[in-house]
Amino acid sequence: MTFYLTTPIYYANSLPHLGHLYTMIVADTIARHKRQQGIETFFLTGTDEHGINIERAAERNNRTPKEQADYVVSYFKKMTAEFGLDTEHGGYDIFMRTSEPFHYEGVSEFWRRAARGKTPKGNDAIYKGHYEGWFCAACAAYKSEDEYAKPQNAGDPPTCLIHDIALDRISEDSYFFRLSDYGDALLELYESRPNFVQPETRRNEVMSFVRGGLQDLSVSRLKSSVSWGVPVPDDPEHTMYVWFDALTNYITAIGFGNEQQNRAVGFEKFWPALHLVGKDILRFHAVYWPAFLMAAGVEQPRAIVAHGMWLDPNGRKMSKTLGNTIDLDVLSKHFPVDAIRYFCLRDMVFGQDGRFGYEALIDRTNSDLASGLGNLSSRTLTMIKRYNSGRVPSGVISEDKLLLAKRTGVDTDATTIAGFIEHARVQYLQELETYSFSRALEVAWSIIARIDKMISEAKPWELAKDVNQSQTLSAVLYRAAETLRWLCVMLYPVMPAATQEIWSQLNLSEKLAELDPANLKWGELKEGAPIGEVKAIFPRIDKAKTMEEIDRNTEDRSQKTEAGGQRSEVRDQKSEAPLPGRARDALRGSSPTVSEGSDPTTPVLGQHATEADAVLGASQPAARPAPPQHATEADAVPGATGVANFIDITDFTKVELRVGQVLTAARIPKSDKLLLLTVDIGEEKARQILAGIAEHYTPEEMLGRKIAVVTNLKPRKMRGHESQGMLLAASVGENDKPVLATFAEEIPNGARLK
Ligand code: MSP
């Protein structure tokens, strides 16, 4: 039995961030789980290297497109090595690059077959025509009228609803794929294979998109417009549309259309694949790709499984435009890889969007890993060292000691515990099969809670004081250690390094990567075997200190870059001087993509699909991302003066502004300037606020007024009164006369200004 799993191949014009890492972690977990089951697994990841976007990025960075791709690939490889996702660490089997000669050969063959193919309606699947329309380089997608915003000035190009960048006008001869003939065939495919697109909600979205009618797709560009691409067979004046080329990587990588690669991997052996993708690129995988495969007469994929998107703590999709992506260097510096893996799988409900915040990551690590699994491991093994000379104790309680054991509340045989854990194992594996990682881990942690409870109730440290209870003590410790053994096998795909560490401390030598959790049997931990050295697995993270370090770290990196200093690991040696504002913004939250700063279109690449919930790529106007603030505009003007004075949206959102209503107002004795107000800002208790407006507003004038309040300022004492906020007012004239900001419409107290 074989299993073939793919991630998207990532664009080779922007550097990896948490979003890419997440897809890799999910895929890696699935692959390890399959391998444990003894299934020969082939796991593909890689880079999508052709197209106008890479060509432009290369040009801006004064590189050839191949050099540009090599540069980005080096960062993806750095990420996969650092996070234990590469071949060396038991992760992917191939890092596929579409610039590989064997891919050129394979994709040419695929084109030829599709071009020979007939649609379900008997027409030629590929035909030559003329394309007239708009194209978003960042999406690498053609845009219909409902997918772009009309320009403000007549004569300007429209802008992409997703990226807010100007679209390219295309008017040229082009090959078309007759997608419009495939609607019924695709619907039949989704109907006959309900698991073809997962999860269910995504399947429904895909089906309604197809039911809405499909249009033919331009699948080539003139070489004179886009030269960095695979030439169309027998018509080298055209290059293939980058998605046609990129999707085909999934079959060329395993040998389609190239004998040598076929011998090395094996198309027949591994195809069909399970494609794991972000929901942003679902349309390409669940609609276009199946239709291409039908035309070329190639079997359909096993399934297309779409995950959700990481959002920032404010609920916005992480993107370089907003500067809110997570810097992989900061992540790996402050957190063990397995804590990151665990957090990603536990906190994100698979298929839905999830919010990322460092504090949440620290909290999870401390509660579930340091106090949970880590603590169970170290307390169990330490007690075995202390109470049983470092050897696995016996789990058996003899007849004559049963009563004694019972008296301390310990079950006299292990079946209750074993039964609980066996049942949890079944549930855990079922959840894993449906990619419900979060629920699977909840189940696994119910085992930890159960054993913690057993230990706390039995109190081994008390039992150790009573020689008559030595068997009870041994049985409790055995059960805990046996549970640890099970947890290692079960959790290996999620946390390969930490489970291996506990495994070694248990002094077990079989390969975790090859042990199927379904085959675990209770009681196979050998009595009398010596355990290894005991070490803490997940040291507790000091939240305040780490948060401070993370802040400082991002700040430092930003300053260095602003000063033009070297950020050795991430700096692009060849690129122009970094844009100061942009550099700082990108670093404050996020990804090591600063060096790409000279590329005005880069910020959104890799994010090209949607805001939180828009699916099926570009089609939904509602998916318009946050307004085209500074990032895009500033970046578009390299070297623009004043850029350094801009703040990032993340800076702005640090300030919490709310609508408040003045409930009481009074003057403060001996102060001409201050009014003492109580203001309802929608919280249970009204806030007390001191405002320096007494010379211009009477208390009576203030009563009942709706005002704008800064609500997250540190409280401050003035004249013996604590002020728990600040009013917003304009300063007018030489005397700075305050004029309160207020609202023209009815508005509820507590409404947020943003
Ligand atoms: N090159 C295309 C894919 C071609 S596959 C034949 C592409 N590349 S990309 O670099 O933009 O990567 C998109 C993928 O990266 C998403 O589908 C998802 O797997 C991952 N992610 C990028 N940003 C993400 C988040 N904010 N959150 C979760 N995953 C994200 O599209």
Side-chain angles (χ1 to χ4, degrees), residues 210-272:
V210 173
R211 281 200 195 104
L214 298 172
Q215 285 180 1
D216 292 352
L217 184 71
S218 163
V219 285
S220 73
R221 297 292 308 272
L222 279 181
K223 192 172 164 49
S224 52
S225 331
V226 182
S227 65
W228 179 235
V230 183
V232 166
D234 311 317
D235 197 351
E237 286 314 299
H238 293 259
T239 47
M240 289 181 199
Y241 172 41
V242 60
W243 272 100
F244 189 95
D245 152 17
L247 288 160
T248 309
N249 97 88
Y250 297 136
I251 55 175
T252 60
I254 53 173
F256 179 93
N258 181 283
E259 225 359 83
Q260 209 179 332
Q261 193 65 10
N262 196 23
R263 270 199 304 275
V265 187
F267 176 72
E268 291 297 329
K269 182 173 174 187
F270 287 108
W271 188 251

Side-chain angles (χ1 to χ4, degrees), residues 248-313:
T248 309
N249 97 88
Y250 297 136
I251 55 175
T252 60
I254 53 173
F256 179 93
N258 181 283
E259 225 359 83
Q260 209 179 332
Q261 193 65 10
N262 196 23
R263 270 199 304 275
V265 187
F267 176 72
E268 291 297 329
K269 182 173 174 187
F270 287 108
W271 188 251
L274 184 142
H275 299 311
L276 175 72
V277 297
K279 69 179 190 187
D280 53 342
I281 53 174
L282 188 55
R283 180 201 298 181
F284 300 93
H285 284 81
V287 181
Y288 299 172
W289 178 226
F292 296 163
L293 288 165
M294 284 178 195
V298 178
E299 195 185 337
Q300 292 298 324
R302 182 191 291 264
I304 293 129
V305 178
H307 65 66
M309 296 282 129
W310 278 104
L311 313 175
D312 70 12

